[in-house]
């Protein structure tokens, strides 16, 4: 599978000036990844005016493997995740040693202990009984926006939180953060992943050495925190460039941020509406999802436009009587499609992905350690998160019943409205990975995060 050639205005973006800050917003299927790889190649090409070493960066390892497949033969282009970039830079500056970043499990443990410790110093309140994921998310948002002092946190508008926290609740969160940082540091863990961008930015402020990269290109930039983007802006020289490719409808990491909040100087935001990936029928479903209430809080949302392609099959919606029968049918059908097509099975969790792909010969897992992208026919299985930026001929989205989507634990942690906003974006990512065929399955009632079965957007089937 070769990288498509840029079309129309995509050429203009690829060859934008190699100086300053650039933001390119596009809906799913508009070729952002194509433009990102071509732009990185152009900026690194010695024949280009003001060329130099270029970093092509994204959030997930699975997308890094995908990008490396296309950029393997590009000299002076490095492809990696933000986490790898940040950790490598801090280590090179002597500011990070071996295993000094708290793992997700360690972070969860110390936050849980911090909540318990803080609760003893406040009046009894059900606030401290909230799910750990709520507190993890709030602390990540604080770090992602570089709020260093309590007054800053009390004063800032909390973007992305449907139900605003009261001042007393914010004070409790800050106390939890204080306990957490103290306990983690005492355990010999000066960092967690959420705090790495601020550490990188601080180190860059004291770094008088020439920057390693003259240009940085970011694919799926909406997944990075404002502080991560600020750190990338600081990581280029004065005559370098930072180019962000983003789709705010696919923002699934809770930031809901706008590039304006990142302090970038952007003369013009380029917007792309034309869908080159999905069939018209799949695109209509994605457009209908984007018009549902759960999407209305997105910053810099670009309204998609249906592709001008030959008609294909409507997405297939299949209802099963039992979850096990659903999982077995998905695995059997995906294996059959996988003999001649590239197939994706995308779910909310890894456990669900394993269940829906059980027994498929040679199934390829989308995961954090994915280091090679295959271009032949076959079946990939992973989470919606791991599918970001990827595309498949056929996509299966199992377990889309109302009892599972939105996820009950997410509802418990954040409330229904916020959970629906988060989970609908996950589904949007899954839907828009499909080029030609999309099969959505469920038991019980269909999730309310998708248009109803009677909307005319699906081929509807009831299986035994």
């Amino acid at each position: 599978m070769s990288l498509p050639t840029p079309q129309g205005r995509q050429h203009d973006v690829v060859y934008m000036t190699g100086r300053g800050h650039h933001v390119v917003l596009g809906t799913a299927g508009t070729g952002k990844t194509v433009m990102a790889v071509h732009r990185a190649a152009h900026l690194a090409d010695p024949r280009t005016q003001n060329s130099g070493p270029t970093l092509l960066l994204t959030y997930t390892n699975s997308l890094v493997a995908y990008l490396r497949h296309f950029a393997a033969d590009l000299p002076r282009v490095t492809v990696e995740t933000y986490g790898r970039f940040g950790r490598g830079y801090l280590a090179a500056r002597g500011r990070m040693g071996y295993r000094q970043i708290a793992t997700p499990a360690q972070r969860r443990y110390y936050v849980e202990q911090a909540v318990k410790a803080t609760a003893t110093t406040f009046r009894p309140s059900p606030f401290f009984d909230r799910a750990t994921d709520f507190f993890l998310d709030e602390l990540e948002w604080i770090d992602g926006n570089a709020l260093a002092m309590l007054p800053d946190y009390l004063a800032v508008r909390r973007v992305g939180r449907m139900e605003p926290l009261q001042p007393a609740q914010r004070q409790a969160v800050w106390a939890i953060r204080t306990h957490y940082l103290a306990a983690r540091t005492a355990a010999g863990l000066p960092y967690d992943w959420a705090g790495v961008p601020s550490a990188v930015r601080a180190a860059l402020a004291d770094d008088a050495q020439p920057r390693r990269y003259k240009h940085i290109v970011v694919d799926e930039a909406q997944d990075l925190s404002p502080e991560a983007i600020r750190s990338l802006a600081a990581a280029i020289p004065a005559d370098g460039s930072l180019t962000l490719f983003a789709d705010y409808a696919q923002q699934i990491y809770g930031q809901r941020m706008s590039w304006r909040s990142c302090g970038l100087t952007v003369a013009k935001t380029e917007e792309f509406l034309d869908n080159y990936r999905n069939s018209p029928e799949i695109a209509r479903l994605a457009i209908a999802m984007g018009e549902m209430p759960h999407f209305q809080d997105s910053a810099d949302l670009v309204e998609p436009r249906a592709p001008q392609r030959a008609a294909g099959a409507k997405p297939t919606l299949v209802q099963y009587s039992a979850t096990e029968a659903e999982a077995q049918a998905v695995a059997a059908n995906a294996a059959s499609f996988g003999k001649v097509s590239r197939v994706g099975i995308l779910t909310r969790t890894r456990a669900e992905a394993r269940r829906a792909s059980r027994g498929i010969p040679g199934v390829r897992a989308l995961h954090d350690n994915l280091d090679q992208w295959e271009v032949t026919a076959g079946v990939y299985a992973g989470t919606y998160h791991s599918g970001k930026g990827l595309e498949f001929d056929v996509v299966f989205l199992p377990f889309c019943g109302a009892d599972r989507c939105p996820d009950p634990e997410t509802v418990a942690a954040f409330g229904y409205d916020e959970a629906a906003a988060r989970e609908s974006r996950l589904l949007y990512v899954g839907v828009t990975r499909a080029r030609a065929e999309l099969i959505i399955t469920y038991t019980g009632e269909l999730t309310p995060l998708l248009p109803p079965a009677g909307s005319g957007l699906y081929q509807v089937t009831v299986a035994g």
Side-chain angles (χ1 to χ4, degrees), residues 276-445:
Y276 297 106
R277 176 193 300 143
N278 310 123
S279 70
E281 291 73 18
I282 293 170
R284 287 191 196 103
L285 176 58
I287 291 169
M289 293 175 68
E291 293 171 348
M292 296 178 77
H294 319 301
F295 275 84
Q296 301 310 307
D297 69 326
S298 288
D300 293 331
L301 180 63
V302 178
E303 295 295 331
R305 194 155 59 199
Q308 302 300 312
R309 284 174 46 184
K314 289 182 180 181
T316 300
L317 186 64
V318 188
Q319 182 184 35
Y320 289 90
S321 59
T323 302
E324 188 55 36
E326 178 186 5
Q328 290 177 0
V330 168
N333 291 325
S336 179
F337 275 109
K339 294 176 182 178
V340 294
S341 303
R342 295 178 61 257
V343 179
I345 300 175
L346 301 177
T347 62
R348 191 184 186 284
T349 67
R350 293 179 182 175
E352 288 179 336
R354 288 192 295 269
R355 185 176 188 182
S357 61
R358 188 177 299 139
I360 299 177
V363 64
R364 303 156 187 169
L366 298 171
H367 52 67
D368 290 343
N369 296 319
L370 184 68
D371 58 5
Q372 185 175 358
W373 184 256
E374 301 290 343
V375 296
T376 55
V379 179
Y380 286 82
T383 64
Y384 299 118
H385 293 84
S386 64
K388 289 297 295 291
L390 309 181
E391 61 180 39
F392 305 91
D393 301 313
V394 183
V395 167
F396 286 82
L397 303 181
F399 313 127
C400 289
D403 60 333
R404 290 172 175 258
C405 186
D407 173 57
E409 291 185 3
T410 304
V411 173
F414 302 103
Y416 183 84
D417 288 342
E418 188 169 337
R422 291 167 178 253
E423 301 283 291
S424 62
R425 284 165 175 77
L426 288 171
L427 277 176
Y428 182 90
V429 169
V431 165
T432 55
R433 299 311 94 198
R435 291 183 55 84
E437 295 198 49
L438 173 66
I439 298 95
I440 302 171
T441 68
Y442 69 102
T443 58
E445 298 294 326

Side-chain angles (χ1 to χ4, degrees), residues 18 67 76 101 112 139 184 191 198-199 205 268 271 297 335 365 407 435 455:
L67 291 172
R76 300 206 297 177
I101 303 178
E112 288 174 346
L139 297 189
R184 191 196 71 202
Y191 301 100
S198 287
K268 177 186 177 184
E271 295 187 356
D297 69 326
D407 173 57
R435 291 183 55 84
S455 62

Side-chain angles (χ1 to χ4, degrees), residues 70-215:
F70 293 120
D73 298 324
L74 297 178
R76 300 206 297 177
V77 174
T78 301
V79 185
E80 60 188 14
T81 63
Y82 180 86
R84 186 177 181 87
F85 159 78
R87 181 180 61 190
Y89 175 71
L90 292 173
R93 290 293 312 280
R95 298 196 179 200
M96 180 181 290
Y98 184 61
R99 290 188 176 178
Q100 289 194 325
I101 303 178
T103 66
Q106 290 170 324
R107 176 175 165 82
R108 177 175 290 272
Y109 170 78
Y110 290 119
V111 167
E112 288 174 346
Q113 297 306 305
V115 172
K116 293 177 182 178
T118 303
T120 64
T121 64
F122 280 72
R123 290 182 178 180
S125 169
F127 178 74
F128 296 104
D129 297 327
R130 301 192 72 159
T132 303
D133 283 345
F134 170 83
F135 296 106
L136 288 166
D137 181 80
E138 193 68 11
L139 297 189
E140 182 174 350
W141 188 86
I142 290 171
D143 283 332
N145 287 275
L147 305 177
M149 305 293 291
L150 175 58
D152 299 329
Y153 179 47
L154 291 174
V156 73
R157 176 175 174 262
R158 173 57 165 101
V159 178
R161 180 72 69 219
M162 297 290 187
E163 183 179 340
L165 297 184
Q166 300 303 310
Q169 293 173 321
R170 290 199 182 197
Q171 290 176 340
V173 168
W174 199 265
I176 291 168
R177 181 176 185 269
T178 301
H179 280 290
Y180 161 69
L181 293 176
R184 191 196 71 202
T185 303
L189 298 167
Y191 301 100
D192 59 19
W193 288 110
V196 165
S198 287
V200 169
R201 192 177 175 206
L204 285 165
D206 294 333
D207 188 355
Q209 297 297 314
R211 298 302 193 229
R212 179 179 178 183
Y213 301 106
K214 191 164 192 176
H215 307 285

Side-chain angles (χ1 to χ4, degrees), residues 15-85:
Y15 301 116
M16 289 186 301
T17 178
R19 295 176 186 269
H21 302 155
H22 307 278
V23 174
V24 182
L25 300 179
T27 60
T30 52
K32 296 185 298 297
T33 295
V34 171
M35 290 185 279
V37 176
H38 279 290
R39 178 150 176 81
H42 171 69
L43 293 171
D45 190 333
R47 295 169 297 180
T48 299
Q49 185 178 12
N50 198 38
S51 69
T54 300
L55 172 63
L56 178 55
L57 182 146
T58 192
Y59 191 86
T60 65
N61 280 293
S62 53
L63 185 51
V64 161
Y66 185 68
L67 291 172
R68 282 177 176 165
H69 168 74
F70 293 120
D73 298 324
L74 297 178
R76 300 206 297 177
V77 174
T78 301
V79 185
E80 60 188 14
T81 63
Y82 180 86
R84 186 177 181 87
F85 159 78

